[in-house]
């Protein structure tokens, strides 16, 4: 008889659990925001790593991001039966199904029920799928009905094409693929078929046995259609049947008495001698904390000695793990060190006065220039991208959009739908892992650079920028401070929008889905030729300037007066900064600032006037301390007031003092909230922006009120960013100076499992109900691995402020 605790049990957090294995059933459901985010349905967390997700009734062999996802209509937990039942629905096909997952010893039974047969239109297409994480399975063995095989490292299996009429509808009717006029779509063939599959027979931590008597199992490679695809195991639902139509038994192997290796969080960038140095050690809840840990020093002759031995202090449980801390602040001697906790050793790191000196260099010298749009960007022997979007932008027609934009029926411009808007293919920055210009983000970017310039006057010049040649070269100084050139580049696009459109576009974005998911040289997203609907698709005009391929980008132009006001604000600051460097652009910016401000104020005068008075009163309450006194409210507003200090008198600063005292309490409150002492976000996009905002405000609160906010507080956010966080201890910044930065990010080179130096990952993605995650072998989940242009320029401010505090000039 198996001992109690060996079997899967339904726990208090509503998932099935045994030591080493968690089976989640729609703890995370498909939310529809970006459709299939590869984060939902039935999921398995196997020895600490989420290796299986996407368990659901799906309509494709290997679903892509924009294939339809089911809506969860009901979820029922039955403790007596030890089962979880989920109902799901595809509105597009009026198709309902139920999946019941029941613990059966060490396995779960997954059964699919239909009350009505599969609708004719998708019969033979709808099936039950689960998806396995490629990076955890490639090169490992599998057995199908006793036949040996190995998961391929790269997509190399076989495909067929089928008529488009047989393809289930994709999100909002968009198409992820360009069929080159064939009217056929690509469908992968299975790697194997059978009734019993054992995956990873060569790796006990990943081994799963899946069998079905009533249905055929088919194993596919989703990467055949999309680089972010997973391995998919599925059974097609039988035609014309109702009741219990498919039954699978899924048994994830558990290593006996498995205990997760401790994760020793520390700063990979190292520490300056006088700063607090506290490692946070994340422990399996079954792991017994040790009494002590050791700091080891690696001497110049390569030998190792004990530098410090100290007590390990318990912090307590936080979600699924237990946390202890090891304080080695007393060690101040510069040198090379590592931490040893039991048998776990960290990689080495520095204690040295200069560890923060280079923290922003990769971001300013490499990441930012690579994201300059409408330029050829080169570095040494490598070209990052050619000049993108040479044909410019078309007026967007009325449309819904795949990246959450809309264009209403009225263009609100002088242009007709699909008419070319001249002059927009200049300046601006790629949004993130994609290549659109989000106007709001680009305004933030210019604001962040202006703030950096006015606060720190960075003279660093490592980038050659020629607007005339539309050419950028990394690591080639040209005599002009780079930040000034970045401000100019951002303003060039924003001012062009104001001049050409009359107001700010909400975005300049892709018109077709099949070039939106582009991975590769940005210059090849479009064909560089003006779209001419009188030509056939793929046909080029005799003069070689026009084509019948509708790939041109669109400008979404519905007017938003508050966006115009934001732009007016940044134009005024930009005019101030650019004066004496580019007077002509400074003048154009000032002219548009005045015009946009007047027009926007007229447009929203009534509404806004009321709001502004209310806001002024609230600010006054807040400053005089008669507000709600809630320090979270203080935290929201403090930065704005701190930013005004240099422009105001001493009395203003003194008036802020009580608020800063409250803010000090707010900072300390995080020591109780979680073991890492920073605001940790639990949203669908991990919270690096909130953490950076927090870090910037702490830095400035310390600069202006060092007697209230001590210098020790400014390291909270850098510790977190550089490795002191849950899941693993790698730095979230692809950064100069860190010993072990993350190795993969969701940059536009993600298909190469690579990164763009200086990128800042969003960080720890929270999966309900209790799992933090940051894959470092799988770049494709944007919520944990993408870096945005606004976030990365925010990091430049945070890093510049920190450098100034740590080593004042
Ligand atoms: Ca975007
Ligand atoms: Ca330069
Ligand atoms: Ca084109």
């Amino acid at each position: 008889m198996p001992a109690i605790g060996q079997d899967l049990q339904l726990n208090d957090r509503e998932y099935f659990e045994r030591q080493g294995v968690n089976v989640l059933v729609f703890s995370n459901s498909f939310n529809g925001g970006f459709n299939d985010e590869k984060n939902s349905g039935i999921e398995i967390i196997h020895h600490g790593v989420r290796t299986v997700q996407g368990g659901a009734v799906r309509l494709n062999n290997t679903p892509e991001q924009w294939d339809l996802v089911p809506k969860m209509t009901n979820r029922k937990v039955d403790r007596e039966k030890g089962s979880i039942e989920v109902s799901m629905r595809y509105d597009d096909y009026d198709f309902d199904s139920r999946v019941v997952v029941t613990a059966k010893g060490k396995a779960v039974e997954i059964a699919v029920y239909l009350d009505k047969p599969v609708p004719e239109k998708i019969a033979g297409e709808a099936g039950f799928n689960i998806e396995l994480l490629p990076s955890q399975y490639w090169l490992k063995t599998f057995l199908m009905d006793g036949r040996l095989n190995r998961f391929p490292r790269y997509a190399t299996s076989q495909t067929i094409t089928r008529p488009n009429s047989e393809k289930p509808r994709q999100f909002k009717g968009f198409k992820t693929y360009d069929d080159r006029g064939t009217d056929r779509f690509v469908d992968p063939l299975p790697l194997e078929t059978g009734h019993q599959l054992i995956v990873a027979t060569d790796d006990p931590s990943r081994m799963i046995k899946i069998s079905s008597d009533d249905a055929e199992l088919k194993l596919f490679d989703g990467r055949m259609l999309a680089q972010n695809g997973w391995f998919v195991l599925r059974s097609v639902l039988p035609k014309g049947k109702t009741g219990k139509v498919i039954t699978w038994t899924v048994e994830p192997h558990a290593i006996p008495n498995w205990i997760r290796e401790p994760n020793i969080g520390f700063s990979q960038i190292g520490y300056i001698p006088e700063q607090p140095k506290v490692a946070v050690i994340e422990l399996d809840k079954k792991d017994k904390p040790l009494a002590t840990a050791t700091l080891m020093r690696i001497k110049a002759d390569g030998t190792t000695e004990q530098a410090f031995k100290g007590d390990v202090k318990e912090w307590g449980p936080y979600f699924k793990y237990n946390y202890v801390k090891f304080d080695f602040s007393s060690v101040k001697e510069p040198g090379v060190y590592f931490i040893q906790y039991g048998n776990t050793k960290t990689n080495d790191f520095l204690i040295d006065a200069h560890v923060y000196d280079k923290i922003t260099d990769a971001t300013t010298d490499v990441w930012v220039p690579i994201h300059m749009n409408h330029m050829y960007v080169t570095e040494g022997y490598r070209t990052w991208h050619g000049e993108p979007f040479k044909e410019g932008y078309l007026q967007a027609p009325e449309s819904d959009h795949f990246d959450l934009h809309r264009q209403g029926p009225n263009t609100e411009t002088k242009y007709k739908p699909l008419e070319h808007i001249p002059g927009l293919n200049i300046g601006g920055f790629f949004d993130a892992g994609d290549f659109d210009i989000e106007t709001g983000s680009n305004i933030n970017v210019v604001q962040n650079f202006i703030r950096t310039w006015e606060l720190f006057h960075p003279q660093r010049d490592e980038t050659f920028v020629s607007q005339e040649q539309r050419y950028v070269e990394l690591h080639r100084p040209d005599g002009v401070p780079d930040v000034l050139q970045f401000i100019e580049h951002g303003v060039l696009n924003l001012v062009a929008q104001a001049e050409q459109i009359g107001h700010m576009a909400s975005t300049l974005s892709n018109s077709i889905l099949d070039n939106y998911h582009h991975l590769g040289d940005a210059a090849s997203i479009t064909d560089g030729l003006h779209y001419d609907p009188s030509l056939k698709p793929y046909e080029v005009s005799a003069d070689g300037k026009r084509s019948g391929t509708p790939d041109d980008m669109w400008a979404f132009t519905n007017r938003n007066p508050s966006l115009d006001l934001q732009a007016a604000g940044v134009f005024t600051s930009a005019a101030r900064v650019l004066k004496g460097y580019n007077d002509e652009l400074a003048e154009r910016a000032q002219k548009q600032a005045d015009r946009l401000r007047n027009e926007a104020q007229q447009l929203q005068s009534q509404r806004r006037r009321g709001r502004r008075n209310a806001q002024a009163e609230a600010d006054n309450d807040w400053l005089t301390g008669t507000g709600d006194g809630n320090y979270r409210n203080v935290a929201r507003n403090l930065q704005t007031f701190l930013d005004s200090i240099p422009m105001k008198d001493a009395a203003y600063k003194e008036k802020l003092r009580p608020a800063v005292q409250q803010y000090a309490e707010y900072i300390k409150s995080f020591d109780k909230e979680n073991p890492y002492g920073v605001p940790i976000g639990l949203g669908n996009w991990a919270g690096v922006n909130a953490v950076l905002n927090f870090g910037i405000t702490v830095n400035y609160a310390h600069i202006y009120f060092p007697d209230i906010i001590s210098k020790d507080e400014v390291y909270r956010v850098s510790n977190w960013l550089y490795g002191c966080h849950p899941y693993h201890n790698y730095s979230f910044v692809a950064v100069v100076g860190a010993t072990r930065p993350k190795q993969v990010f969701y940059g536009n080179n993600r298909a190469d499992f690579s990164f763009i130096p200086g990128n800042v990952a969003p960080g720890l993605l929270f999966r309900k109900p209790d799992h933090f995650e940051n894959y470092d072998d799988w770049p494709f989940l944007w919520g944990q691995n993408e870096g945005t242009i606004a976030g990365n320029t925010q990091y430049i401010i945070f890093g510049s402020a920190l450098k100034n505090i740590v080593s004042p000039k």
Side-chain angles (χ1 to χ4, degrees):
M1 224 184 72
I4 298 286
Q6 292 292 298
D7 287 350
L8 280 166
Q9 307 278 350
L10 189 52
N11 69 13
D12 292 346
R13 287 183 169 143
E14 299 191 346
Y15 62 81
F16 300 99
E17 184 179 20
R18 65 186 284 228
Q19 213 169 327
V21 177
N22 305 157
V23 180
L24 281 59
V25 180
F26 279 73
S27 295
N28 300 285
S29 72
F30 299 91
N31 67 30
F34 290 99
N35 257 32
D36 187 353
E37 304 186 46
K38 304 291 178 200
N39 267 333
S40 321
I42 298 171
E43 305 177 84
I44 298 176
I45 298 169
H46 207 178
H47 299 105
V49 182
R50 196 170 57 101
T51 53
V52 171
Q53 60 78 41
V57 169
R58 300 299 303 271
L59 309 182
N60 312 79
N61 288 333
T62 63
E64 294 176 65
Q65 185 187 336
W66 294 275
D67 283 319
L68 296 183
V69 289
K71 189 169 72 185
M72 185 177 79
T73 51
N74 192 28
R75 180 173 183 272
K76 214 162 62 192
V77 178
D78 188 330
R79 297 209 160 269
E80 234 153 80
K81 287 190 195 145
S83 70
I84 302 177
E85 175 177 330
V86 169
S87 307
M88 55 193 113
R89 175 174 174 76
Y90 287 93
D91 283 328
D92 291 64
Y93 291 103
D94 187 22
F95 173 40
D96 293 283
S97 57
R98 281 181 294 129
V99 170
V100 182
V101 182
T102 313
K104 299 244 160 121
K106 292 174 183 167
V108 288
E109 180 193 274
I110 302 177
V112 182
Y113 291 83
L114 296 178
D115 296 329
K116 282 191 284 183
V118 181
E120 186 85 36
K121 197 102 182 66
I122 46 170
E125 308 295 334
F128 178 76
N129 292 22
I130 64 166
E131 306 198 351
L132 296 104
L133 182 59
S135 54
Q136 289 292 327
Y137 280 100
W138 61 41
L139 303 179
K140 288 179 184 152
T141 53
F142 66 87
L143 268 179
M144 180 72 91
D145 291 350
R147 293 184 297 276
L148 274 169
N149 218 318
R150 203 177 279 284
F151 283 103
R153 173 63 183 81
Y154 196 85
T156 51
S157 61
Q158 284 180 281
T159 55
I160 54 168
T161 65
R162 296 168 56 194
N164 279 340
S165 58
E166 294 178 7
K167 172 119 180 151
R169 179 183 149 85
Q170 295 190 286
F171 178 60
K172 292 182 183 174
F174 291 111
K175 267 166 68 184
T176 50
Y177 58 102
D178 176 354
D179 67 16
R180 304 310 288 180
T182 62
D183 200 26
R184 297 179 74 83
F185 72 99
V186 176
D187 205 13
L189 292 173
L191 298 166
E192 257 289 15
T193 12
H195 286 275
Q196 190 199 61
L197 175 70
I198 309 175
V199 295
T201 51
D202 55 348
D203 180 355
S205 69
R206 295 289 168 264
M207 191 194 296
I208 307 175
K209 190 160 93 184
I210 302 143
S211 57
S212 176
D213 292 334
D214 57 7
E216 189 173 55
L217 303 170
K218 295 181 179 191
L219 180 64
F220 293 92
D221 188 343
R223 298 170 301 168
M224 297 301 288
L225 297 186
Q227 276 74 6
N228 62 351
W230 294 40
F231 293 121
V232 179
L233 186 70
R234 79 178 321 225
S235 292
V236 172
L237 302 180
K239 293 181 189 177
K241 286 205 172 156
T242 55
K244 190 177 185 183
V245 294
I246 284 179
T247 311
W248 283 14
T249 303
V250 177
E251 184 182 334
H253 178 75
I255 296 169
N257 303 315
W258 177 80
I259 287 188
R260 183 174 178 261
E261 168 124 356
N263 169 35
I264 305 175
F266 70 100
S267 172
Q268 295 278 354
I269 207 111
Y271 302 86
I272 61 166
E274 73 264 26
Q275 83 173 85
K277 308 172 196 76
V278 182
V280 179
I281 306 173
E282 183 178 65
L283 297 175
D284 196 295
K285 60 190 172 192
K286 292 223 190 276
D287 202 351
K288 239 209 208 110
L290 301 174
T292 58
T294 314
L295 187 73
M296 302 297 291
R297 183 185 292 120
I298 303 174
K299 295 194 289 184
D301 64 3
T303 60
T304 298
E305 66 183 8
Q306 181 176 307
F308 174 75
K309 186 174 183 178
D311 289 347
V312 164
K313 293 216 172 82
E314 202 154 351
W315 186 87
Y318 178 63
F319 291 104
K320 71 202 282 187
Y321 296 126
N322 203 21
Y323 293 84
V324 297
K325 294 190 180 190
F326 169 52
D327 188 335
F328 54 98
S329 304
S330 61
V331 179
K332 297 186 168 150
E333 188 185 323
V336 184
Y337 295 88
F338 64 88
I339 299 164
Q340 179 145 11
Y341 172 82
N343 293 324
T344 308
K345 292 177 188 175
T346 67
N347 56 263
D348 66 68
F349 58 89
L350 302 184
I351 294 180
D352 185 81
H354 297 287
V355 297
Y356 292 97
D357 288 2
K358 296 172 181 164
I359 55 176
T360 59
D361 295 352
T363 309
T364 56
D365 299 358
V366 184
W367 198 91
V368 170
I370 288 169
H371 286 73
M372 291 170 86
N373 200 342
H374 306 116
M375 304 291 262
Y376 182 99
V377 179
T378 186
E379 176 184 23
Y381 291 8
R382 173 185 198 164
T383 292
W384 280 93
H385 56 81
E387 183 191 329
F389 315 126
K390 281 186 177 170
E391 69 268 71
Y393 296 80
L394 304 182
Q395 167 69 55
E398 179 176 9
S399 62
D400 209 347
H401 193 248
F402 34 83
D403 196 15
L404 313 181
H405 302 294
R406 286 192 92 78
Q407 174 72 43
N410 186 346
T411 65
E412 300 182 64
T413 67
K414 63 184 177 190
Y415 302 99
K416 292 194 290 289
L418 296 181
E419 188 178 344
H420 179 245
I421 304 177
L424 296 181
N425 56 329
I426 186 167
F429 295 91
F430 300 141
D431 180 35
D434 52 3
F435 303 88
D436 51 327
I437 290 190
E438 297 277 3
T439 301
S441 297
N442 270 260
I443 290 173
N444 283 334
V445 167
V446 176
Q447 257 164 356
N448 287 344
F449 279 129
I450 289 173
R451 209 165 147 205
T452 305
W453 180 254
E454 296 197 321
L455 288 166
F456 311 109
H457 303 286
Q459 300 299 308
R460 193 171 176 89
D461 172 21
E462 276 297 322
T463 312
F464 174 94
V465 180
S466 168
Q467 291 295 338
E468 200 189 328
Q469 297 171 19
R470 296 193 164 227
Y471 192 90
V472 174
E473 185 176 345
L474 278 54
H475 317 303
R476 173 188 283 277
D478 62 0
V480 183
D482 299 338
V483 167
L484 217 44
Q485 290 169 311
F486 299 152
I487 293 169
E488 177 184 43
H489 195 70
V491 171
L492 277 168
N493 186 268
L494 297 171
V495 164
Q497 287 189 23
E499 290 173 346
Q500 303 295 341
I501 297 171
H503 54 267
M504 305 313 292
S506 62
T507 182
L508 308 180
S509 190
N510 306 63
S511 60
I512 44 174
L513 180 55
D514 70 66
N515 74 11
Y516 171 69
H517 52 58
H518 178 87
L519 291 173
D521 185 345
S524 57
I525 296 173
T526 62
D527 62 9
L529 308 173
H530 292 288
Y531 172 51
D532 180 347
S534 74
L535 299 167
K536 289 208 246 356
Y538 319 110
E539 190 186 353
V540 177
S541 63
D543 63 3
K545 290 183 176 160
R546 293 166 294 116
S547 85
T549 307
D551 64 3
D552 298 19
M553 303 280 279
W554 287 351
F556 290 74
T557 57
N558 285 125
R559 188 162 200 170
N560 173 354
S562 64
L563 188 66
D564 290 351
L565 275 174
Q566 265 183 55
V570 85
F571 286 160
T572 302
S573 317
R576 182 173 69 230
V577 169
L578 291 171
K579 213 166 176 187
Y581 166 59
N582 184 338
D583 288 334
E584 188 250 359
L585 186 59
E587 266 171 50
R588 285 167 60 200
Q590 190 58 57
K591 188 174 163 194
Q592 294 307 320
D594 298 338
R595 184 181 64 80
L596 283 180
R597 192 173 289 115
N598 286 337
E599 292 181 12
Q601 279 170 353
Q602 273 171 31
L603 275 169
Q604 48 170 219
S605 55
Q606 277 317 102
R607 201 162 39 119
R608 203 172 54 81
R609 205 173 292 135
R611 261 216 314 263
R612 195 167 51 185
N613 286 343
Q615 187 59 42
E617 269 166 39
D619 290 349
N620 204 40
D621 274 1
W622 181 81
L623 270 176
T624 51
T626 59
D628 59 10
N630 176 341
Y631 50 55
R632 286 187 188 270
N633 189 31
V634 170
R636 264 201 302 279
N637 297 296
L638 186 61
Q639 188 65 50
T640 318
F641 291 96
L642 290 173
D643 283 346
S644 313
I645 287 177
M647 278 89 83
K648 304 268 172 117
D649 59 10
Y652 175 87
K653 190 177 160 186
E654 276 316 295
K655 228 165 135 186
L656 278 182
R657 183 167 285 277
V660 177
Q661 267 148 356
Q662 281 187 45
Y663 192 70
E665 282 175 51
Y666 171 74
I667 295 172
K668 299 273 188 222
S669 73
F670 291 109
D671 293 328
K672 296 207 180 72
E673 210 171 286
N674 66 64
Y676 297 96
V678 298
I680 296 177
L682 302 180
N684 223 26
W685 179 283
V688 79
N689 298 84
V691 176
L692 285 171
N693 266 336
F694 174 71
I696 292 170
T697 306
V698 173
N699 288 353
Y700 280 93
H702 164 71
I703 290 170
Y704 295 123
F705 297 93
D707 55 323
I708 305 175
I709 311 288
S710 87
K711 191 170 168 181
D712 287 356
E713 306 295 349
V714 306
Y715 304 104
R716 286 172 183 264
V717 166
S718 60
N719 287 340
W720 168 269
L721 282 176
Y722 301 135
C724 192
H725 51 66
Y727 196 70
H728 57 53
N729 62 10
Y730 313 146
S731 168
F732 287 139
V733 188
V735 71
V736 177
T739 321
R740 177 52 167 95
K742 269 177 64 60
Q743 294 183 343
V744 303
F745 289 72
Y746 185 100
N748 59 41
N749 57 353
R750 58 191 175 275
D752 302 316
F753 290 76
S754 189
F755 57 89
I756 301 180
N759 197 15
V760 186
L764 269 304
L765 185 67
F766 181 65
R767 305 317 301 145
K768 288 178 208 158
D770 60 4
H771 184 68
F772 282 104
E773 168 181 288
N774 181 278
Y775 288 136
D776 198 42
D777 58 359
W778 189 250
F780 298 105
L781 300 191
W782 54 84
Q784 38 184 287
N785 282 330
E786 192 166 11
T788 66
I789 187 73
N792 286 346
T793 49
Q794 212 185 353
Y795 171 75
I796 294 171
I797 298 176
F798 166 76
S800 304
L802 183 63
K803 278 193 291 185
N804 266 30
I805 293 166
V806 173
S807 37
K809 298 256 150 51

